Amino acid sequence: MTIAIGDKLPAATFKEKTADGPVEITTEQLFAGKRVVLFAVPGAFTPTCSLNHLPGYLENRDTILAKGVDDIAVLAVNDWHVMGAWAQSSGGLGKIHFLADWDAAFTKAVGLEADLSAGGLGLRSKRYSMLVEDGVVKALNVEESPGQATVSGAAAMLELL
């Protein structure tokens, strides 16, 4: 069952690369008492994710935060090494959270997994964005095709804010 507007996010733990190594970040730490934009991608370094989806959020980071958002995070079913390398190479390190849902536990819990085995990627996340307030989903934008970043892109999120 896919998470819906009005639902509370399930408890989960992500990993994020820092200068001191990986740190665990729980959904409680990231979302409690905050207004957060979370967007998910099928994979770090993949074409649509790296050329369209992530750059839109990085370019619009300050505008999004100015609209009352406390934090922005990108999530992928990748390990923390890959997410850390993507943060570094994209120029996003320290600007937004790059969360590794390495075992897809959160992705499965919210019902937004995608079997991309036919393309050699295995189990991944659907491409989506959500606005979360104090752990509750206030907006959810899921792409119909993993190769597009329109309804889940930064411009669409800015319209919702």
Side-chain angles (χ1 to χ4, degrees), residues 16-139:
E16 183 173 30
K17 185 174 182 175
T18 70
D20 299 324
V23 296
E24 291 188 346
I25 299 176
T26 65
T27 47
E28 178 73 16
Q29 291 168 312
L30 187 61
F31 298 107
K34 300 176 192 167
R35 191 172 190 225
V36 179
V37 168
L38 173 68
F39 68 103
V41 298
F45 293 107
T46 57
T48 302
C49 306
S50 291
L51 301 174
N52 185 350
H53 210 185
L54 176 62
Y57 280 96
L58 291 176
E59 291 164 10
N60 290 287
R61 175 189 175 269
D62 294 341
T63 304
I64 292 169
L65 295 177
K67 293 192 175 271
V69 170
D70 298 301
D71 224 336
I72 302 169
V74 59
L75 175 139
V77 179
N78 288 118
D79 65 66
W80 66 269
H81 295 286
V82 170
M83 293 303 283
W86 196 33
Q88 186 81 18
S89 71
S90 68
L93 187 65
K95 295 180 181 172
I96 66 173
H97 291 282
F98 283 76
L99 304 175
D101 184 20
W102 71 94
D103 59 357
F106 177 81
T107 298
K108 291 176 193 174
V110 296
L112 290 168
E113 70 273 12
D115 184 356
L116 301 179
S117 297
L121 297 175
L123 182 69
R124 298 296 179 112
S125 174
K126 290 182 180 179
R127 184 182 309 281
Y128 65 87
S129 67
M130 63 173 68
L131 177 62
V132 181
E133 293 181 11
D134 196 22
V136 176
V137 178
K138 295 297 182 179

